[in-house]
Amino acid sequence: MSILNGTLINSFEGPSTPSMNTPSGLQLFVDYINVLEGVKTKIKNLHWSAKKLPNSDKRGAHLYLDDFLDVVSDFQDTVAESSQGQYGVMDTNAVSGVPFQCSSPKELMNYVEERTAAFYTSIPEGPISSGVKSETETFIKNVEKYKYLFDLTE
C-alpha cells in the first residue's frame, strides 16, 4: 500500500502470470481447445449421419449442426489466439481432438455445456483474462440457444 496525495491506495504490482506448466497457464487453454476440436469432429459425424439421429426433424438437426460448427470454430479460434497472446505460442502439434461418445445433438450439447462450464470456472481472474472470459460467456449463451433449437427438432 502507498499514500498518494493523502489517499490510501493499493499499489499496482501488475498481474501475476501463471506458468505455462500450470493448469491456469497456456495448457489450460490448449486442453480446452482440444475439447473443442473433438466437438467439431463429433458435430460433423452427427451431421453426416443425420438420417440415423433420434430427432424427428432430421433435416433441421442436419442444418443446425452445420450452423453450430461455425459457432464452435469461431470460438475455438478466439480462445487459441487470445491465450497465445497471454501465455505464449503453443507447439505445432498441440491440437488433437479429445474423443467422446454421443449419438444425438442433445447429448452433444450437454457435453459441450459441461466442458465449457468447467473451462469457464478455471479461467484466471483479472483484467488480462477478462476478454476470453467474456467470449466464453457469449459462447455459453450460444450453447443455450442451440440447445433450444435442437430441442425443436426432437
Side-chain angles (χ1 to χ4, degrees), residues 3-71:
I3 296 186
L4 180 64
N5 296 330
T7 306
L8 186 63
I9 62 169
N10 289 326
S11 61
F12 178 74
E13 296 174 11
S16 62
T17 304
S19 160
M20 285 178 33
N21 297 323
T22 65
S24 58
L26 181 61
Q27 193 59 49
L28 166 76
F29 295 93
V30 171
D31 289 348
Y32 184 63
I33 290 163
N34 284 325
V35 166
L36 293 173
E37 192 66 23
V39 166
K40 290 180 354 185
T41 299
K42 184 54 71 176
I43 290 170
K44 288 311 288 185
N45 187 216
L46 293 173
H47 170 83
W48 291 323
S49 62
K51 285 185 88 170
K52 293 186 176 185
L53 293 177
N55 304 61
S56 60
D57 180 3
K58 295 176 186 330
R59 184 176 187 280
H62 178 85
L63 295 173
Y64 287 144
L65 284 162
D66 253 356
D67 293 345
F68 187 58
L69 178 63
D70 291 341
V71 170

Short mmCIF file of all heavy atoms in Angstrom, two decimals, residues 3-71:
data_model
loop_
_atom_site.label_atom_id
_atom_site.label_comp_id
_atom_site.label_asym_id
_atom_site.label_seq_id
_atom_site.Cartn_x
_atom_site.Cartn_y
_atom_site.Cartn_z
N ILE A 3 0.55 5.87 -0.05
CA ILE A 3 -0.33 7.03 0.07
C ILE A 3 0.01 7.97 -1.06
O ILE A 3 1.15 8.34 -1.28
CB ILE A 3 -0.15 7.72 1.43
CG1 ILE A 3 -0.58 6.76 2.53
CG2 ILE A 3 -0.93 9.01 1.47
CD1 ILE A 3 -0.58 7.36 3.91
N LEU A 4 -1.01 8.35 -1.81
CA LEU A 4 -0.85 9.26 -2.93
C LEU A 4 -1.76 10.44 -2.69
O LEU A 4 -2.97 10.28 -2.60
CB LEU A 4 -1.22 8.54 -4.24
CG LEU A 4 -1.11 9.35 -5.53
CD1 LEU A 4 0.34 9.75 -5.78
CD2 LEU A 4 -1.65 8.55 -6.68
N ASN A 5 -1.19 11.62 -2.59
CA ASN A 5 -1.96 12.83 -2.32
C ASN A 5 -2.88 12.68 -1.11
O ASN A 5 -4.03 13.08 -1.15
CB ASN A 5 -2.77 13.26 -3.54
CG ASN A 5 -1.89 13.64 -4.72
OD1 ASN A 5 -0.76 14.12 -4.52
ND2 ASN A 5 -2.37 13.43 -5.92
N GLY A 6 -2.38 12.02 -0.06
CA GLY A 6 -3.14 11.88 1.17
C GLY A 6 -4.21 10.81 1.12
O GLY A 6 -4.99 10.68 2.05
N THR A 7 -4.27 10.02 0.04
CA THR A 7 -5.27 8.96 -0.07
C THR A 7 -4.58 7.61 -0.01
O THR A 7 -3.57 7.40 -0.66
CB THR A 7 -6.01 9.08 -1.41
OG1 THR A 7 -6.53 10.38 -1.54
CG2 THR A 7 -7.15 8.07 -1.49
N LEU A 8 -5.13 6.73 0.79
CA LEU A 8 -4.58 5.39 0.90
C LEU A 8 -5.01 4.58 -0.32
O LEU A 8 -6.19 4.47 -0.63
CB LEU A 8 -5.11 4.73 2.18
CG LEU A 8 -4.54 3.38 2.54
CD1 LEU A 8 -3.04 3.49 2.81
CD2 LEU A 8 -5.24 2.84 3.77
N ILE A 9 -4.04 4.05 -1.06
CA ILE A 9 -4.35 3.22 -2.23
C ILE A 9 -3.49 1.97 -2.22
O ILE A 9 -2.42 1.95 -1.60
CB ILE A 9 -4.13 3.98 -3.56
CG1 ILE A 9 -2.65 4.40 -3.71
CG2 ILE A 9 -5.04 5.16 -3.68
CD1 ILE A 9 -2.31 4.90 -5.08
N ASN A 10 -3.95 0.95 -2.86
CA ASN A 10 -3.14 -0.25 -3.06
C ASN A 10 -2.23 -0.02 -4.24
O ASN A 10 -2.66 0.48 -5.28
CB ASN A 10 -4.02 -1.47 -3.34
CG ASN A 10 -4.78 -1.91 -2.13
OD1 ASN A 10 -4.28 -1.80 -1.01
ND2 ASN A 10 -5.99 -2.43 -2.34
N SER A 11 -0.97 -0.38 -4.09
CA SER A 11 -0.06 -0.21 -5.22
C SER A 11 -0.33 -1.30 -6.24
O SER A 11 -0.71 -2.41 -5.91
CB SER A 11 1.39 -0.27 -4.74
OG SER A 11 1.66 -1.52 -4.16
N PHE A 12 -0.16 -0.96 -7.50
CA PHE A 12 -0.37 -1.90 -8.58
C PHE A 12 0.94 -2.61 -8.86
O PHE A 12 1.92 -2.00 -9.22
CB PHE A 12 -0.87 -1.18 -9.84
CG PHE A 12 -1.07 -2.11 -11.00
CD1 PHE A 12 -2.15 -2.98 -11.05
CD2 PHE A 12 -0.17 -2.13 -12.04
CE1 PHE A 12 -2.32 -3.83 -12.11
CE2 PHE A 12 -0.34 -2.99 -13.10
CZ PHE A 12 -1.42 -3.83 -13.14
N GLU A 13 0.92 -3.92 -8.67
CA GLU A 13 2.11 -4.70 -8.93
C GLU A 13 2.02 -5.43 -10.25
O GLU A 13 2.91 -6.17 -10.62
CB GLU A 13 2.33 -5.70 -7.78
CG GLU A 13 2.59 -5.01 -6.46
CD GLU A 13 2.65 -5.99 -5.31
OE1 GLU A 13 2.69 -7.21 -5.56
OE2 GLU A 13 2.65 -5.54 -4.17
N GLY A 14 0.93 -5.27 -10.93
CA GLY A 14 0.73 -5.94 -12.21
C GLY A 14 0.17 -7.33 -12.02
O GLY A 14 0.23 -7.88 -10.92
N PRO A 15 -0.39 -7.88 -13.05
CA PRO A 15 -0.98 -9.22 -12.93
C PRO A 15 0.11 -10.27 -12.77
O PRO A 15 1.18 -10.15 -13.33
CB PRO A 15 -1.73 -9.40 -14.26
CG PRO A 15 -1.02 -8.51 -15.21
CD PRO A 15 -0.50 -7.34 -14.41
N SER A 16 -0.21 -11.27 -11.99
CA SER A 16 0.73 -12.38 -11.91
C SER A 16 0.42 -13.31 -13.07
O SER A 16 -0.73 -13.64 -13.33
CB SER A 16 0.58 -13.12 -10.58
OG SER A 16 -0.70 -13.66 -10.47
N THR A 17 1.43 -13.67 -13.80
CA THR A 17 1.24 -14.52 -14.96
C THR A 17 1.51 -15.96 -14.57
O THR A 17 2.61 -16.29 -14.14
CB THR A 17 2.20 -14.11 -16.10
OG1 THR A 17 1.98 -12.73 -16.40
CG2 THR A 17 1.97 -14.94 -17.34
N PRO A 18 0.49 -16.82 -14.69
CA PRO A 18 0.70 -18.22 -14.35
C PRO A 18 1.75 -18.86 -15.24
O PRO A 18 1.92 -18.46 -16.39
CB PRO A 18 -0.66 -18.87 -14.60
CG PRO A 18 -1.63 -17.74 -14.64
CD PRO A 18 -0.86 -16.55 -15.11
N SER A 19 2.44 -19.83 -14.74
CA SER A 19 3.41 -20.58 -15.51
C SER A 19 2.69 -21.33 -16.62
O SER A 19 1.55 -21.76 -16.45
CB SER A 19 4.13 -21.56 -14.59
OG SER A 19 4.73 -22.59 -15.34
N MET A 20 3.37 -21.52 -17.75
CA MET A 20 2.76 -22.28 -18.84
C MET A 20 2.58 -23.74 -18.45
O MET A 20 1.86 -24.46 -19.11
CB MET A 20 3.61 -22.16 -20.11
CG MET A 20 3.45 -20.81 -20.76
SD MET A 20 4.42 -20.52 -22.23
CE MET A 20 4.55 -22.06 -23.03
N ASN A 21 3.23 -24.19 -17.39
CA ASN A 21 3.13 -25.58 -16.98
C ASN A 21 2.04 -25.82 -15.94
O ASN A 21 1.82 -26.94 -15.52
CB ASN A 21 4.47 -26.07 -16.43
CG ASN A 21 5.54 -26.03 -17.49
OD1 ASN A 21 5.28 -26.31 -18.64
ND2 ASN A 21 6.75 -25.67 -17.11
N THR A 22 1.35 -24.77 -15.50
CA THR A 22 0.29 -24.93 -14.53
C THR A 22 -1.05 -25.01 -15.26
O THR A 22 -1.17 -24.55 -16.40
CB THR A 22 0.25 -23.75 -13.54
OG1 THR A 22 -0.09 -22.56 -14.27
CG2 THR A 22 1.58 -23.56 -12.82
N PRO A 23 -2.07 -25.57 -14.61
CA PRO A 23 -3.36 -25.67 -15.26
C PRO A 23 -3.95 -24.31 -15.63
O PRO A 23 -4.82 -24.23 -16.47
CB PRO A 23 -4.23 -26.37 -14.22
CG PRO A 23 -3.28 -27.06 -13.32
CD PRO A 23 -2.03 -26.24 -13.33
N SER A 24 -3.49 -23.24 -15.01
CA SER A 24 -4.04 -21.93 -15.33
C SER A 24 -3.23 -21.20 -16.40
O SER A 24 -3.58 -20.12 -16.80
CB SER A 24 -4.13 -21.07 -14.07
OG SER A 24 -2.85 -20.95 -13.49
N GLY A 25 -2.16 -21.80 -16.87
CA GLY A 25 -1.36 -21.21 -17.94
C GLY A 25 -1.86 -21.63 -19.30
O GLY A 25 -3.03 -22.01 -19.48
N LEU A 26 -0.98 -21.60 -20.29
CA LEU A 26 -1.36 -21.95 -21.66
C LEU A 26 -1.99 -23.34 -21.74
O LEU A 26 -2.93 -23.55 -22.51
CB LEU A 26 -0.15 -21.86 -22.59
CG LEU A 26 -0.40 -22.16 -24.06
CD1 LEU A 26 -1.40 -21.18 -24.66
CD2 LEU A 26 0.90 -22.14 -24.83
N GLN A 27 -1.52 -24.29 -20.93
CA GLN A 27 -2.03 -25.66 -21.02
C GLN A 27 -3.52 -25.74 -20.74
O GLN A 27 -4.22 -26.55 -21.35
CB GLN A 27 -1.25 -26.59 -20.08
CG GLN A 27 -1.51 -28.05 -20.36
CD GLN A 27 -1.14 -28.46 -21.79
OE1 GLN A 27 -0.06 -28.15 -22.26
NE2 GLN A 27 -2.05 -29.12 -22.48
N LEU A 28 -4.02 -24.91 -19.84
CA LEU A 28 -5.47 -24.87 -19.58
C LEU A 28 -6.23 -24.60 -20.87
O LEU A 28 -7.22 -25.26 -21.18
CB LEU A 28 -5.78 -23.77 -18.55
CG LEU A 28 -7.25 -23.38 -18.42
CD1 LEU A 28 -8.00 -24.45 -17.63
CD2 LEU A 28 -7.40 -22.03 -17.77
N PHE A 29 -5.74 -23.65 -21.64
CA PHE A 29 -6.40 -23.26 -22.88
C PHE A 29 -6.22 -24.33 -23.97
O PHE A 29 -7.15 -24.64 -24.70
CB PHE A 29 -5.89 -21.89 -23.34
CG PHE A 29 -6.25 -20.80 -22.38
CD1 PHE A 29 -5.37 -20.43 -21.37
CD2 PHE A 29 -7.48 -20.18 -22.44
CE1 PHE A 29 -5.71 -19.43 -20.46
CE2 PHE A 29 -7.84 -19.18 -21.54
CZ PHE A 29 -6.94 -18.81 -20.55
N VAL A 30 -5.02 -24.89 -24.07
CA VAL A 30 -4.77 -25.94 -25.07
C VAL A 30 -5.66 -27.15 -24.78
O VAL A 30 -6.24 -27.73 -25.71
CB VAL A 30 -3.28 -26.34 -25.09
CG1 VAL A 30 -3.06 -27.58 -25.95
CG2 VAL A 30 -2.42 -25.18 -25.60
N ASP A 31 -5.80 -27.51 -23.52
CA ASP A 31 -6.68 -28.63 -23.17
C ASP A 31 -8.11 -28.38 -23.63
O ASP A 31 -8.76 -29.27 -24.20
CB ASP A 31 -6.67 -28.89 -21.66
CG ASP A 31 -5.35 -29.47 -21.17
OD1 ASP A 31 -4.51 -29.90 -22.00
OD2 ASP A 31 -5.15 -29.47 -19.93
N TYR A 32 -8.60 -27.16 -23.43
CA TYR A 32 -9.97 -26.85 -23.85
C TYR A 32 -10.07 -26.74 -25.38
O TYR A 32 -11.07 -27.16 -25.97
CB TYR A 32 -10.46 -25.57 -23.17
CG TYR A 32 -11.90 -25.25 -23.50
CD1 TYR A 32 -12.92 -26.12 -23.12
CD2 TYR A 32 -12.23 -24.12 -24.23
CE1 TYR A 32 -14.25 -25.84 -23.45
CE2 TYR A 32 -13.55 -23.84 -24.55
CZ TYR A 32 -14.55 -24.70 -24.16
OH TYR A 32 -15.85 -24.44 -24.49
N ILE A 33 -9.06 -26.22 -26.02
CA ILE A 33 -9.03 -26.17 -27.49
C ILE A 33 -9.13 -27.59 -28.04
O ILE A 33 -9.82 -27.84 -29.03
CB ILE A 33 -7.75 -25.45 -27.98
CG1 ILE A 33 -7.84 -23.95 -27.65
CG2 ILE A 33 -7.51 -25.68 -29.46
CD1 ILE A 33 -6.51 -23.22 -27.71
N ASN A 34 -8.47 -28.53 -27.39
CA ASN A 34 -8.55 -29.94 -27.81
C ASN A 34 -9.95 -30.51 -27.59
O ASN A 34 -10.42 -31.33 -28.39
CB ASN A 34 -7.49 -30.77 -27.09
CG ASN A 34 -6.11 -30.54 -27.68
OD1 ASN A 34 -5.96 -30.33 -28.88
ND2 ASN A 34 -5.10 -30.57 -26.84
N VAL A 35 -10.61 -30.10 -26.52
CA VAL A 35 -12.01 -30.50 -26.31
C VAL A 35 -12.85 -29.98 -27.48
O VAL A 35 -13.66 -30.72 -28.06
CB VAL A 35 -12.55 -29.97 -24.96
CG1 VAL A 35 -14.07 -30.08 -24.89
CG2 VAL A 35 -11.90 -30.70 -23.79
N LEU A 36 -12.68 -28.71 -27.82
CA LEU A 36 -13.45 -28.13 -28.92
C LEU A 36 -13.13 -28.81 -30.25
O LEU A 36 -14.02 -28.97 -31.10
CB LEU A 36 -13.19 -26.62 -29.01
CG LEU A 36 -13.70 -25.80 -27.84
CD1 LEU A 36 -13.25 -24.35 -27.96
CD2 LEU A 36 -15.22 -25.88 -27.71
N GLU A 37 -11.89 -29.22 -30.44
CA GLU A 37 -11.53 -29.95 -31.67
C GLU A 37 -12.29 -31.27 -31.74
O GLU A 37 -12.80 -31.65 -32.80
CB GLU A 37 -10.01 -30.18 -31.73
CG GLU A 37 -9.52 -30.65 -33.07
CD GLU A 37 -9.68 -29.64 -34.19
OE1 GLU A 37 -9.76 -28.41 -33.94
OE2 GLU A 37 -9.72 -30.08 -35.36
N GLY A 38 -12.39 -31.96 -30.63
CA GLY A 38 -13.17 -33.19 -30.57
C GLY A 38 -14.65 -32.93 -30.81
O GLY A 38 -15.34 -33.73 -31.47
N VAL A 39 -15.14 -31.80 -30.29
CA VAL A 39 -16.55 -31.43 -30.50
C VAL A 39 -16.81 -31.18 -31.99
O VAL A 39 -17.82 -31.63 -32.53
CB VAL A 39 -16.91 -30.18 -29.65
CG1 VAL A 39 -18.23 -29.56 -30.10
CG2 VAL A 39 -16.94 -30.54 -28.17
N LYS A 40 -15.89 -30.51 -32.65
CA LYS A 40 -16.06 -30.24 -34.08
C LYS A 40 -16.12 -31.55 -34.88
O LYS A 40 -16.95 -31.69 -35.78
CB LYS A 40 -14.92 -29.35 -34.60
CG LYS A 40 -15.01 -27.95 -34.09
CD LYS A 40 -13.92 -26.99 -34.57
CE LYS A 40 -12.80 -27.53 -35.36
NZ LYS A 40 -11.74 -26.56 -35.66
N THR A 41 -15.27 -32.50 -34.53
CA THR A 41 -15.30 -33.79 -35.21
C THR A 41 -16.63 -34.51 -34.97
O THR A 41 -17.24 -35.05 -35.90
CB THR A 41 -14.13 -34.68 -34.71
OG1 THR A 41 -12.90 -34.02 -35.01
CG2 THR A 41 -14.15 -36.05 -35.36
N LYS A 42 -17.11 -34.46 -33.74
CA LYS A 42 -18.38 -35.13 -33.42
C LYS A 42 -19.55 -34.43 -34.13
O LYS A 42 -20.47 -35.09 -34.59
CB LYS A 42 -18.61 -35.15 -31.91
CG LYS A 42 -19.85 -35.90 -31.48
CD LYS A 42 -19.91 -37.33 -32.02
CE LYS A 42 -18.90 -38.23 -31.37
NZ LYS A 42 -19.01 -39.64 -31.80
N ILE A 43 -19.51 -33.11 -34.22
CA ILE A 43 -20.57 -32.38 -34.93
C ILE A 43 -20.65 -32.87 -36.38
O ILE A 43 -21.73 -33.14 -36.89
CB ILE A 43 -20.35 -30.85 -34.88
CG1 ILE A 43 -20.58 -30.33 -33.47
CG2 ILE A 43 -21.25 -30.14 -35.89
CD1 ILE A 43 -20.14 -28.87 -33.28
N LYS A 44 -19.50 -32.98 -37.05
CA LYS A 44 -19.51 -33.43 -38.45
C LYS A 44 -19.99 -34.87 -38.54
O LYS A 44 -20.74 -35.22 -39.46
CB LYS A 44 -18.11 -33.28 -39.09
CG LYS A 44 -17.72 -31.84 -39.37
CD LYS A 44 -18.79 -31.03 -40.10
CE LYS A 44 -18.99 -31.37 -41.53
NZ LYS A 44 -19.95 -30.48 -42.23
N ASN A 45 -19.60 -35.70 -37.58
CA ASN A 45 -20.06 -37.09 -37.59
C ASN A 45 -21.58 -37.15 -37.46
O ASN A 45 -22.24 -37.89 -38.21
CB ASN A 45 -19.38 -37.85 -36.45
CG ASN A 45 -19.66 -39.33 -36.48
OD1 ASN A 45 -19.79 -39.94 -35.44
ND2 ASN A 45 -19.74 -39.93 -37.65
N LEU A 46 -22.15 -36.38 -36.54
CA LEU A 46 -23.62 -36.35 -36.37
C LEU A 46 -24.28 -35.75 -37.61
O LEU A 46 -25.33 -36.21 -38.05
CB LEU A 46 -24.00 -35.57 -35.12
CG LEU A 46 -23.61 -36.19 -33.78
CD1 LEU A 46 -23.91 -35.22 -32.64
CD2 LEU A 46 -24.29 -37.52 -33.56
N HIS A 47 -23.68 -34.70 -38.16
CA HIS A 47 -24.19 -34.05 -39.36
C HIS A 47 -24.29 -35.04 -40.53
O HIS A 47 -25.31 -35.12 -41.21
CB HIS A 47 -23.26 -32.87 -39.71
CG HIS A 47 -23.51 -32.25 -41.03
ND1 HIS A 47 -24.49 -31.30 -41.24
CD2 HIS A 47 -22.90 -32.43 -42.22
CE1 HIS A 47 -24.46 -30.92 -42.51
NE2 HIS A 47 -23.50 -31.59 -43.13
N TRP A 48 -23.21 -35.80 -40.73
CA TRP A 48 -23.17 -36.74 -41.85
C TRP A 48 -24.08 -37.95 -41.63
O TRP A 48 -24.46 -38.61 -42.59
CB TRP A 48 -21.74 -37.19 -42.12
CG TRP A 48 -20.87 -36.10 -42.66
CD1 TRP A 48 -21.23 -35.12 -43.54
CD2 TRP A 48 -19.50 -35.88 -42.36
NE1 TRP A 48 -20.17 -34.30 -43.81
CE2 TRP A 48 -19.07 -34.74 -43.10
CE3 TRP A 48 -18.57 -36.51 -41.55
CZ2 TRP A 48 -17.79 -34.25 -43.04
CZ3 TRP A 48 -17.28 -36.01 -41.50
CH2 TRP A 48 -16.89 -34.89 -42.24
N SER A 49 -24.39 -38.25 -40.39
CA SER A 49 -25.26 -39.40 -40.12
C SER A 49 -26.64 -38.95 -39.64
O SER A 49 -27.31 -39.64 -38.88
CB SER A 49 -24.60 -40.31 -39.07
OG SER A 49 -24.43 -39.63 -37.85
N ALA A 50 -27.08 -37.79 -40.11
CA ALA A 50 -28.34 -37.20 -39.65
C ALA A 50 -29.54 -38.14 -39.81
O ALA A 50 -30.46 -38.11 -38.99
CB ALA A 50 -28.60 -35.88 -40.38
N LYS A 51 -29.54 -38.98 -40.83
CA LYS A 51 -30.68 -39.89 -41.03
C LYS A 51 -30.80 -40.89 -39.89
O LYS A 51 -31.88 -41.44 -39.67
CB LYS A 51 -30.54 -40.63 -42.35
CG LYS A 51 -30.87 -39.73 -43.54
CD LYS A 51 -30.85 -40.52 -44.82
CE LYS A 51 -32.24 -41.09 -45.01
NZ LYS A 51 -32.45 -41.69 -46.33
N LYS A 52 -29.72 -41.10 -39.13
CA LYS A 52 -29.76 -42.05 -38.01
C LYS A 52 -29.96 -41.38 -36.66
O LYS A 52 -29.97 -42.04 -35.64
CB LYS A 52 -28.46 -42.87 -37.99
CG LYS A 52 -28.32 -43.78 -39.19
CD LYS A 52 -27.13 -44.67 -39.07
CE LYS A 52 -27.09 -45.63 -40.25
NZ LYS A 52 -26.01 -46.60 -40.12
N LEU A 53 -30.11 -40.06 -36.65
CA LEU A 53 -30.33 -39.35 -35.39
C LEU A 53 -31.72 -39.66 -34.84
O LEU A 53 -32.65 -39.92 -35.60
CB LEU A 53 -30.18 -37.84 -35.59
CG LEU A 53 -28.79 -37.33 -35.96
CD1 LEU A 53 -28.83 -35.83 -36.21
CD2 LEU A 53 -27.78 -37.67 -34.87
N PRO A 54 -31.87 -39.59 -33.52
CA PRO A 54 -33.18 -39.84 -32.92
C PRO A 54 -34.17 -38.68 -33.12
O PRO A 54 -35.34 -38.80 -32.79
CB PRO A 54 -32.86 -40.04 -31.43
CG PRO A 54 -31.61 -39.27 -31.21
CD PRO A 54 -30.84 -39.38 -32.50
N ASN A 55 -33.73 -37.58 -33.69
CA ASN A 55 -34.57 -36.41 -33.89
C ASN A 55 -35.61 -36.68 -34.97
O ASN A 55 -35.31 -37.32 -35.98
CB ASN A 55 -33.72 -35.21 -34.30
CG ASN A 55 -32.63 -34.91 -33.31
OD1 ASN A 55 -31.76 -35.74 -33.07
ND2 ASN A 55 -32.65 -33.73 -32.73
N SER A 56 -36.83 -36.16 -34.77
CA SER A 56 -37.87 -36.35 -35.79
C SER A 56 -37.63 -35.44 -36.99
O SER A 56 -37.93 -35.83 -38.12
CB SER A 56 -39.26 -36.11 -35.19
OG SER A 56 -39.36 -34.81 -34.69
N ASP A 57 -37.10 -34.24 -36.78
CA ASP A 57 -36.78 -33.32 -37.87
C ASP A 57 -35.28 -33.47 -38.19
O ASP A 57 -34.45 -32.71 -37.73
CB ASP A 57 -37.11 -31.88 -37.46
CG ASP A 57 -36.79 -30.87 -38.55
OD1 ASP A 57 -36.35 -31.27 -39.66
OD2 ASP A 57 -36.94 -29.66 -38.29
N LYS A 58 -34.97 -34.47 -38.99
CA LYS A 58 -33.58 -34.78 -39.30
C LYS A 58 -32.91 -33.69 -40.13
O LYS A 58 -31.74 -33.37 -39.93
CB LYS A 58 -33.48 -36.14 -39.97
CG LYS A 58 -33.92 -37.25 -39.00
CD LYS A 58 -33.94 -38.58 -39.62
CE LYS A 58 -34.50 -39.67 -38.75
NZ LYS A 58 -34.36 -39.57 -37.33
N ARG A 59 -33.67 -33.09 -41.04
CA ARG A 59 -33.11 -32.01 -41.85
C ARG A 59 -32.76 -30.81 -40.98
O ARG A 59 -31.71 -30.20 -41.13
CB ARG A 59 -34.08 -31.60 -42.96
CG ARG A 59 -33.49 -30.54 -43.88
CD ARG A 59 -34.44 -30.21 -45.04
NE ARG A 59 -33.82 -29.32 -45.99
CZ ARG A 59 -33.72 -27.99 -45.84
NH1 ARG A 59 -34.19 -27.41 -44.76
NH2 ARG A 59 -33.14 -27.25 -46.76
N GLY A 60 -33.65 -30.47 -40.06
CA GLY A 60 -33.38 -29.35 -39.15
C GLY A 60 -32.14 -29.60 -38.31
O GLY A 60 -31.29 -28.72 -38.16
N ALA A 61 -32.02 -30.81 -37.77
CA ALA A 61 -30.84 -31.16 -36.98
C ALA A 61 -29.59 -31.08 -37.85
O ALA A 61 -28.56 -30.55 -37.42
CB ALA A 61 -31.00 -32.56 -36.38
N HIS A 62 -29.68 -31.59 -39.07
CA HIS A 62 -28.56 -31.56 -40.02
C HIS A 62 -28.09 -30.11 -40.24
O HIS A 62 -26.89 -29.83 -40.18
CB HIS A 62 -29.03 -32.19 -41.34
CG HIS A 62 -28.04 -32.19 -42.44
ND1 HIS A 62 -27.08 -33.16 -42.58
CD2 HIS A 62 -27.88 -31.34 -43.47
CE1 HIS A 62 -26.36 -32.91 -43.66
NE2 HIS A 62 -26.83 -31.80 -44.22
N LEU A 63 -29.02 -29.21 -40.48
CA LEU A 63 -28.68 -27.81 -40.75
C LEU A 63 -28.16 -27.11 -39.50
O LEU A 63 -27.18 -26.35 -39.56
CB LEU A 63 -29.89 -27.07 -41.31
CG LEU A 63 -30.38 -27.55 -42.68
CD1 LEU A 63 -31.67 -26.86 -43.06
CD2 LEU A 63 -29.31 -27.35 -43.75
N TYR A 64 -28.78 -27.34 -38.34
CA TYR A 64 -28.33 -26.71 -37.10
C TYR A 64 -26.95 -27.20 -36.70
O TYR A 64 -26.15 -26.44 -36.13
CB TYR A 64 -29.32 -26.97 -35.96
CG TYR A 64 -30.61 -26.19 -36.07
CD1 TYR A 64 -31.80 -26.77 -35.66
CD2 TYR A 64 -30.65 -24.88 -36.54
CE1 TYR A 64 -33.00 -26.07 -35.73
CE2 TYR A 64 -31.84 -24.19 -36.63
CZ TYR A 64 -33.01 -24.78 -36.22
OH TYR A 64 -34.20 -24.08 -36.29
N LEU A 65 -26.63 -28.45 -37.00
CA LEU A 65 -25.29 -28.95 -36.69
C LEU A 65 -24.23 -28.18 -37.48
O LEU A 65 -23.19 -27.81 -36.94
CB LEU A 65 -25.19 -30.46 -36.97
CG LEU A 65 -25.86 -31.35 -35.94
CD1 LEU A 65 -26.12 -32.74 -36.50
CD2 LEU A 65 -25.04 -31.41 -34.66
N ASP A 66 -24.50 -27.92 -38.76
CA ASP A 66 -23.57 -27.11 -39.56
C ASP A 66 -23.43 -25.70 -38.99
O ASP A 66 -22.33 -25.16 -38.91
CB ASP A 66 -24.03 -27.04 -41.02
CG ASP A 66 -23.18 -27.88 -41.94
OD1 ASP A 66 -22.18 -28.47 -41.49
OD2 ASP A 66 -23.51 -27.94 -43.14
N ASP A 67 -24.54 -25.10 -38.61
CA ASP A 67 -24.51 -23.76 -38.04
C ASP A 67 -23.71 -23.73 -36.73
O ASP A 67 -22.91 -22.83 -36.49
CB ASP A 67 -25.92 -23.23 -37.77
CG ASP A 67 -26.71 -22.97 -39.04
OD1 ASP A 67 -26.10 -22.93 -40.14
OD2 ASP A 67 -27.94 -22.82 -38.94
N PHE A 68 -23.95 -24.73 -35.89
CA PHE A 68 -23.26 -24.78 -34.60
C PHE A 68 -21.77 -25.03 -34.80
O PHE A 68 -20.94 -24.50 -34.04
CB PHE A 68 -23.88 -25.83 -33.69
CG PHE A 68 -23.33 -25.82 -32.30
CD1 PHE A 68 -23.40 -24.67 -31.51
CD2 PHE A 68 -22.73 -26.94 -31.77
CE1 PHE A 68 -22.88 -24.65 -30.22
CE2 PHE A 68 -22.20 -26.93 -30.48
CZ PHE A 68 -22.27 -25.78 -29.70
N LEU A 69 -21.41 -25.78 -35.83
CA LEU A 69 -19.99 -25.99 -36.14
C LEU A 69 -19.29 -24.65 -36.38
O LEU A 69 -18.16 -24.44 -35.91
CB LEU A 69 -19.83 -26.90 -37.35
CG LEU A 69 -18.40 -27.16 -37.82
CD1 LEU A 69 -17.59 -27.88 -36.75
CD2 LEU A 69 -18.41 -27.94 -39.12
N ASP A 70 -19.93 -23.75 -37.10
CA ASP A 70 -19.34 -22.43 -37.34
C ASP A 70 -19.13 -21.67 -36.04
O ASP A 70 -18.10 -21.02 -35.84
CB ASP A 70 -20.23 -21.60 -38.28
CG ASP A 70 -20.26 -22.13 -39.70
OD1 ASP A 70 -19.35 -22.90 -40.08
OD2 ASP A 70 -21.22 -21.79 -40.42
N VAL A 71 -20.10 -21.76 -35.12
CA VAL A 71 -20.00 -21.08 -33.83
C VAL A 71 -18.82 -21.64 -33.03
O VAL A 71 -18.02 -20.90 -32.47
CB VAL A 71 -21.32 -21.22 -33.04
CG1 VAL A 71 -21.17 -20.74 -31.61
CG2 VAL A 71 -22.45 -20.48 -33.74
#
